[in-house]
Amino acid sequence: MEDTLTFRDPQGHNVAAILSKPEKPTTSLALLCHGFLSGKNSTTNKTLTRLLNEQGLATFRFDFFGQGESEGPFEAITTTLAIQQTLAALDLMIARGYDKIGLVGSSFGGLVAILTAAQRRDIACLALKCPVVDFAEELLLTFGPEELARWQATDTIPNIMGGTERIRLRYGFYEDCLNHIAYGPAERITVPTLIVQGEQDECVPLHQSHRLHDLLRGPKRLDLLPGADHQFTRGEDFHQMTTSIGKWLITHLPVKRES
């Protein structure tokens, strides 16, 4: 069963979301944070929702500011705002009676999930798909100094998803990223955390996941998939990634039925 709903972030923006519930009521839930230039109905989110619902877990997925059906111009998004929206989503699910919650983050959503978990004590576990840990570093490596200068001058970036048209994104996004490097916050995370990344990831440097894994203080596992790229394009890679995340959540979010 899926309920479409809208909630507000602390700035008053409308955030579009879907609460997907299994056949039998439960208080265990996975909160899904999508990647950059993606949305709540990404293939990963929908696949995980199906897998988890079948195992008796609920999921809650939403569109970050300016993406999908959520309010706002994409060009004004920041990591700060994405964290605020994730915290608001978490509070909403707790208010609805979910008391065993895992955070799932893909790429940029992984960064948001890490930074959210680092400041909360009501998260049961984390599952991270090719998480960005230092987005400023990734952007510098991807674009180079000359493109960063063009970004600062024009408030536009190349389409990192492969399109030809440049995308409007304020340079303040990069400046905000400099204040949200997740290595330090990761040292405060003690909940079980899974990291899944392809060894041929062309976007997020592998050393970020290795360092993140070293810093985490709780039970942890780093799954590196040989030959897999950032999008897990090959079917077998995508299946392995979603299966690993699904099993991790099922293990650490035991189904608690409502009485």
Side-chain angles (χ1 to χ4, degrees):
M1 298 182 293
E2 290 199 334
D3 295 336
T4 300
L5 56 95
T6 301
F7 65 95
R8 289 184 178 271
D9 67 19
Q11 309 301 320
H13 306 118
N14 289 321
V15 182
I18 296 175
L19 175 61
S20 185
K21 296 175 285 189
E23 290 184 3
K24 296 181 180 179
T26 180
T27 60
S28 295
L29 174 139
L31 197 157
L32 311 177
C33 301
H34 67 76
F36 206 61
L37 294 174
S38 184
K40 64 180 180 298
N41 290 323
S42 68
T43 304
T44 297
N45 278 1
K46 294 183 76 171
T47 301
L48 287 174
T49 291
R50 176 180 55 80
L51 291 173
L52 296 173
N53 284 177
E54 289 174 354
Q55 295 298 318
L57 298 175
T59 66
F60 188 66
R61 61 192 195 265
F62 65 97
D63 291 320
F64 284 126
F65 179 87
Q67 297 176 76
E69 299 173 298
S70 286
E71 184 178 2
F74 172 76
E75 66 184 82
I77 190 173
T78 62
T79 304
T80 296
L81 183 51
I83 295 168
Q84 290 175 349
Q85 294 188 327
T86 305
L87 290 168
L90 181 58
D91 289 339
L92 176 62
M93 290 300 97
I94 291 172
R96 290 198 170 209
Y98 293 97
D99 58 8
K100 200 76 171 176
I101 299 177
L103 272 181
V104 182
S106 298
S107 195
F108 171 70
L111 172 65
V112 174
I114 296 165
L115 295 171
T116 299
Q119 57 183 290
R120 299 289 289 241
R121 293 294 175 264
D122 45 13
I123 301 297
C125 65
L126 274 174
L128 306 170
K129 168 195 169 187
C130 49
V132 179
V133 189
D134 180 347
F135 208 174
E137 178 192 45
E138 180 192 329
L139 290 165
L140 177 58
L141 291 172
T142 301
F143 295 157
E146 291 186 5
E147 186 57 60
L148 280 185
R150 185 178 180 187
W151 184 4
Q152 186 173 18
T154 66
D155 281 333
T156 66
I157 61 171
N159 190 328
I160 59 177
M161 303 305 290
T164 57
E165 295 291 325
R166 293 181 68 84
I167 296 170
R168 290 201 58 80
L169 179 65
R170 295 174 190 169
Y171 187 73
F173 179 86
Y174 177 76
E175 296 173 317
D176 185 67
C177 285
L178 292 171
N179 295 319
H180 287 97
I181 298 170
Y183 293 121
E187 296 186 73
R188 300 196 296 271
I189 295 176
T190 59
V191 298
T193 301
L194 171 70
I195 305 166
V196 184
Q197 187 170 8
E199 287 189 339
Q200 300 303 315
D201 192 318
E202 71 282 12
C203 296
V204 180
L206 285 177
H207 69 255
Q208 291 196 6
S209 285
H210 281 292
R211 185 176 172 188
L212 171 64
H213 179 263
D214 290 342
L215 292 170
L216 294 165
R217 299 304 185 193
K220 56 193 174 182
R221 196 176 85 214
L222 173 59
D223 289 355
L224 295 178
L225 278 57
D229 58 16
H230 186 69
Q231 300 292 337
F232 297 88
T233 305
R234 297 187 309 186
E236 60 267 33
D237 294 331
F238 184 83
H239 175 75
Q240 186 174 348
M241 176 270 295
T242 52
T243 299
S244 294
I245 291 175
K247 287 182 177 179
W248 187 264
L249 293 165
I250 292 162
T251 298
H252 296 287
L253 293 175
V255 176
K256 180 180 178 183
R257 305 294 188 188
E258 290 182 341
S259 57

